[in-house]
Amino acid sequence: MSIQYEEPLADSYGVADSFPKDFGYGEEEADIEDSSAPSDSKPRILLMGLRRSGKSSIQKVVFHKMSPNETLFLESTNKIYKDDISSSSFVNFQIWDFPGQVDFFDPTFDYEMIFRGTGALIFVIDAQDDYVEALSRLHLTVSRAYRVNPDINFEVFIHKVDGLSDDHKIETQRDIHQRANDDLADASLEKLHLSFYLTSIYDHSIFEAFSKVVQKLIPQLPTLENLLNIFISNSGIEKAFLFDVVSKIYIATDSSPVDMQSYELCCDMIDVVIDVSCIYGLKEDGTGSAYDKESMAIIKLNNTTVLYLKEVTKFLALVCILREESFERKGLIDYNFHCFRKAIHEVFEVGMSTVRTVPNPAGTPCMLKTAALNGTPRSTV
């Protein structure tokens, strides 16, 4: 079998139901310069699994804003599809969507080259189908990849769980977890760690799972979490997320546990802000930006909860959850946010200048782009 590669169309982010190319603000020269870097220098996330397991649907829903119902009409992938995410997102990586029929023993398949530059491997299992063959393919895939690059993060998406009852979800996850780890133990691969997630494109579980995958590839994550902890503790805020606006992946949150309902509220708030801004925030001739330095939103719920969104960079937004009595000190919150925003810019500017000279432990490039921070004053703190 000959493996073919397919690049996405250059204007794939300008199609209907997608954010426009000029989603953002300021000069785009830095982005153009950044995109001229060789694609092989960017970290890769591999999407693998059997045919019809939902790999392409995940990619389209998360990164191309396709409606879940539209994915029913997607054709089965028959070649490796490489999607460069960095042109419309703060995170800077490629997603490689593999056809389910990839044969690792085919001499034309250079799996060493592919796995050597990979940051994370996501294996998708259809929870509504018989997963015996999928577990066999999972074991073959991760064992081959681990021998080539033991620093890969191995993630298992137990997908299409929207059609299962809660008890069936738990039982399916337990069974897959047990069988997969037993296979690794039999092969003396106890050091190979698999992370498991229950996912569906019909709710926010797929976005949360991808958030966890991406966070593992961000070297600045502990610093970001610490900054968020300091910010919320000094502002009377209950929960805060640092979102990549386009994909709705949160690249960091504070150390308190993530409540799925809170995460869904924050995701929905981003959609509302962008939709309203696209209608009322543009000029009469259609020019302007739906999300810029002035972007800010406050939503008060009927249970005394307040959602507060503020722009951090042209790709990032801070979304906070707090009580109405805490929001009465909005001046203090805004001052603390100003300090937080300056610190975020400083972290990424210093971090990126370091990454250019010092490789990551995993040997893969940094996930975050400097272009998103260009055009903003450097912090002096």
Side-chain angles (χ1 to χ4, degrees), residues 325-359:
E325 54 267 26
S326 299
F327 194 68
E328 293 176 358
R329 300 178 295 171
K330 183 175 178 297
L332 174 63
I333 295 174
D334 288 343
Y335 175 79
N336 289 338
F337 170 78
H338 177 69
C339 298
F340 171 82
R341 189 175 187 272
K342 290 173 66 178
I344 290 292
H345 282 262
E346 187 73 12
V347 165
F348 289 131
E349 289 183 13
V350 173
M352 287 303 297
S353 63
T354 303
V355 169
R356 285 196 178 98
T357 57
V358 181

Side-chain angles (χ1 to χ4, degrees), residues 18-20 23-24 65 244-248 267-282 289-292 295-297 299 309 314-315 317:
S18 175
F19 288 96
F23 180 78
K65 321 320 296 178
D244 177 65
V245 177
V246 177
S247 64
K248 290 188 294 187
C267 287
D268 292 341
M269 183 182 191
I270 292 176
D271 287 335
V272 169
V273 170
I274 298 303
D275 290 345
V276 172
S277 297
C278 286
I279 297 172
Y280 300 105
L282 303 180
S289 175
Y291 184 76
D292 56 27
S295 292
M296 184 270 290
I299 297 179
L309 180 147
K314 70 177 181 179
F315 291 125

Side-chain angles (χ1 to χ4, degrees), residues 30-47:
D31 289 299
I32 296 173
E33 179 182 349
D34 182 70
S35 63
S36 63
S39 60
D40 290 341
S41 67
K42 298 177 181 177
R44 291 193 289 267
I45 295 179
L46 308 185
L47 270 176

Side-chain angles (χ1 to χ4, degrees), residues 121 123 134-147 152-156 175-196:
L121 189 157
F123 195 92
L135 286 170
S136 175
R137 179 64 66 88
L138 168 66
H139 178 75
L140 173 64
T141 302
V142 299
S143 58
R144 283 288 181 100
Y146 182 77
R147 292 186 176 94
I152 293 177
N153 295 320
F154 295 100
E155 322 285 351
V156 180
D175 188 40
I176 291 176
H177 183 280
Q178 184 67 42
R179 292 191 187 189
N181 283 298
D182 286 348
D183 290 342
L184 293 177
D186 293 341
S188 300
L189 292 173
E190 292 88 352
K191 293 184 178 179
L192 195 162
H193 177 71
L194 299 175
S195 299
F196 297 86

Side-chain angles (χ1 to χ4, degrees), residues 122-142:
I122 300 174
F123 195 92
V124 183
I125 296 178
D126 185 350
Q128 299 185 24
D129 198 3
D130 182 12
Y131 45 77
V132 173
E133 182 183 356
L135 286 170
S136 175
R137 179 64 66 88
L138 168 66
H139 178 75
L140 173 64
T141 302
V142 299

Side-chain angles (χ1 to χ4, degrees), residues 114-276:
I114 293 174
F115 293 144
R116 197 175 297 118
T118 296
L121 189 157
I122 300 174
F123 195 92
V124 183
I125 296 178
D126 185 350
Q128 299 185 24
D129 198 3
D130 182 12
Y131 45 77
V132 173
E133 182 183 356
L135 286 170
S136 175
R137 179 64 66 88
L138 168 66
H139 178 75
L140 173 64
T141 302
V142 299
S143 58
R144 283 288 181 100
Y146 182 77
R147 292 186 176 94
V148 174
N149 181 4
D151 294 314
I152 293 177
N153 295 320
F154 295 100
E155 322 285 351
V156 180
F157 284 7
I158 304 172
H159 197 48
K160 302 183 183 179
V161 297
D162 49 277
L164 307 180
S165 65
D166 290 341
D167 290 341
H168 196 178
K169 290 179 186 178
I170 296 173
E171 178 60 27
T172 300
Q173 183 177 18
R174 187 203 61 78
D175 188 40
I176 291 176
H177 183 280
Q178 184 67 42
R179 292 191 187 189
N181 283 298
D182 286 348
D183 290 342
L184 293 177
D186 293 341
S188 300
L189 292 173
E190 292 88 352
K191 293 184 178 179
L192 195 162
H193 177 71
L194 299 175
S195 299
F196 297 86
Y197 308 87
L198 294 171
T199 61
S200 170
I201 59 174
Y202 291 96
D203 57 32
H204 290 83
S205 60
I206 189 61
F207 294 95
E208 184 181 19
F210 239 107
S211 298
K212 300 291 181 59
V213 172
V214 170
Q215 287 170 23
K216 293 180 182 179
L217 302 177
I218 299 177
Q220 299 94 337
L221 180 63
T223 304
L224 297 178
E225 290 181 348
N226 188 40
L227 287 173
L228 285 167
N229 285 333
I230 296 172
F231 171 68
I232 67 169
S233 64
N234 288 282
S235 305
I237 292 173
E238 295 184 357
K239 189 67 181 174
F241 295 91
L242 191 60
F243 272 97
D244 177 65
V245 177
V246 177
S247 64
K248 290 188 294 187
I249 287 175
Y250 67 95
I251 67 169
T253 185
D254 58 87
S255 57
S256 63
V258 175
D259 175 53
M260 192 63 179
Q261 186 177 9
S262 299
Y263 174 64
E264 291 175 358
L265 281 173
C266 294
C267 287
D268 292 341
M269 183 182 191
I270 292 176
D271 287 335
V272 169
V273 170
I274 298 303
D275 290 345
V276 172

